[in-house]
Structures are given as C-alpha cells and as structure tokens.
Amino acid sequence: LKFSLLLITLVGFGSMTLLIKDNDIVLFDEIIISFIQNLETPFLTATMNFFSYIGSGSFINIIVVLGVIILYFVLHYRSEILLFIFVLMGSHYIFRFLKEIFHRARPDLHRLIEIGGYSFPSGHATNAMTVYGILSFLLWRHIPTSWGRKLLILFSTIMILTIGFSRIYLGVHYPSDVLGGYFAGAFWLSVSIWCFQYLKEKIYEKTHTKYPYI
C-alpha cells in the first residue's frame, strides 16, 4: 500500500509536468478556470481570501507553533514533533525548489489579488496537503470513535480542497498547478511517514531484542 501510494503520487506529478511542458493541459485549465471564476460573488471572494490566507506561510507558522505545543504538552509526543516539523519544513523548500525548476508564469486572465513568483506547483496546495495530512496522521490514534476519525478526515479533506480551490478562484494559479501541488505534497508526506515508521520499527526491534545468555 505504501509503495502504491508513492508510485501514484510520483506518476501523477510526473504526468502533470509532461502535460504542462507540452501545453496539452491548456484547454483543461481554461475550462476549469472559466467555470470557477463564473461563480464570483463578493461573499465568495471574501471567503476565498480567507482560505487563501489559511494556506499561506504566515498562518502555517501559527499552526506549527500550536502543533508543537499540543504534541508536546497535551499528547506528550517526542519523536512525532520532529516528524511534524520535518514534513512542514520539507514541504516549504520542495515547492520553492520545484517552482525554480519549472519557471511557469502565473495565469493572466482575471486576477482578484496580485502576487509574484512562479506558478507551478502551487505552494498553497502543497502545504495544505502536507499540513492537514500530517495532522490527520498524528491525531488519528487519539480519536477513540470511528465517527470522530471520519470527521477528522472530512475536515482535512475540505481544508485541502478549499485552499486549492481558492487559488484558482482568485486567479493566481492554474488548476494544474494545484493538482501538481497536491501530488508533490502527497509524495513528500508519504515518504516522510514511511521513513518515520521504518525508523521507529528499527529502534523498537533494537531495544526489544532479547539476546540469549552465554
């Protein structure tokens, strides 16, 4: 399952890059952007600005501080704090690195906000996937009921999708940027969790190995 998830996210991101490079996704982007921006209303614009802020680096810094406090003082996690910080820091540098590689210009159709930098992949989408993905992973076992876990997954899914949607609505990203960010974030999240669990298992085996008396 872990390998399958890694493969799906890697193939998904690779496919997006090829489609963008060959301009085979232009029509798809234009259709989605047109549909989403036709929904424009003052209330929806204010709502999307709010969700866009939630996906910004400034707000994620707040999440990091609150997350560390909860993980350390409430849940009494230790190594999980390192995983939490590692995932979020890695996510930040990964999407910045990828933007510098692809140099894709932002859409110039109907922008509701102005922002600089390159477009692919969406940093907001990448961060949304890693932030709410790692929070779901860490909080899952502390929720005793199945409906509580379902609510956790539902909340995380809504946040991830809405943050990505907001970037398209505001005119600063193509839909393919957002999809690329989701794939990149999911790949990094999967790799980080797999490495974390692997190390935990190795440490457990080492500390619980019983050697026969000689």
Side-chain angles (χ1 to χ4, degrees), residues 113-125:
I113 60 173
E114 288 299 326
I115 188 172
Y118 296 116
S119 192
F120 180 85
S122 165
H124 277 64

Side-chain angles (χ1 to χ4, degrees), residues 49-202:
N49 270 306
F50 171 74
F51 278 99
S52 182
Y53 171 71
I54 286 180
S56 68
S58 300
F59 191 81
I60 288 175
N61 289 335
I62 297 174
I63 292 178
V64 170
V65 173
L66 292 177
V68 169
I69 291 173
I70 292 172
L71 291 173
Y72 189 86
F73 292 103
V74 179
L75 301 180
H76 305 295
Y77 278 165
R78 298 296 182 272
S79 57
E80 285 81 358
I81 292 177
L82 297 178
L83 171 65
F84 180 67
I85 296 174
F86 180 74
V87 167
L88 299 193
M89 286 186 63
S91 173
H92 173 79
Y93 288 107
I94 283 173
F95 81 74
R96 287 190 174 276
F97 175 73
L98 291 172
K99 282 178 182 285
E100 292 299 323
I101 289 179
F102 293 103
H103 281 201
R104 190 186 196 190
R106 293 186 183 274
D108 189 20
L109 299 172
H110 175 54
R111 292 191 191 181
L112 298 179
I113 60 173
E114 288 299 326
I115 188 172
Y118 296 116
S119 192
F120 180 85
S122 165
H124 277 64
T126 307
N127 283 336
M129 179 63 73
T130 52
V131 168
Y132 294 101
I134 194 60
L135 286 175
S136 296
F137 173 76
L138 293 175
L139 297 176
W140 177 269
R141 66 180 176 138
H142 288 277
I143 299 177
T145 61
S146 61
W147 64 264
R149 291 178 174 179
K150 290 176 182 177
L151 283 178
L152 173 66
I153 298 303
L154 179 61
F155 171 77
S156 296
T157 301
I158 289 173
M159 294 302 296
I160 291 169
L161 294 178
T162 307
I163 289 171
F165 181 90
S166 73
R167 304 303 282 174
I168 302 170
Y169 177 90
L170 295 172
V172 293
H173 276 298
Y174 295 102
S176 52
D177 296 333
V178 173
L179 290 175
Y182 287 156
F183 282 125
F187 178 78
W188 173 244
L189 180 65
S190 301
V191 169
S192 300
I193 291 175
W194 180 83
C195 291
F196 174 76
Q197 291 180 324
Y198 176 81
L199 289 174
K200 290 277 284 187
E201 289 172 2
K202 289 298 180 183

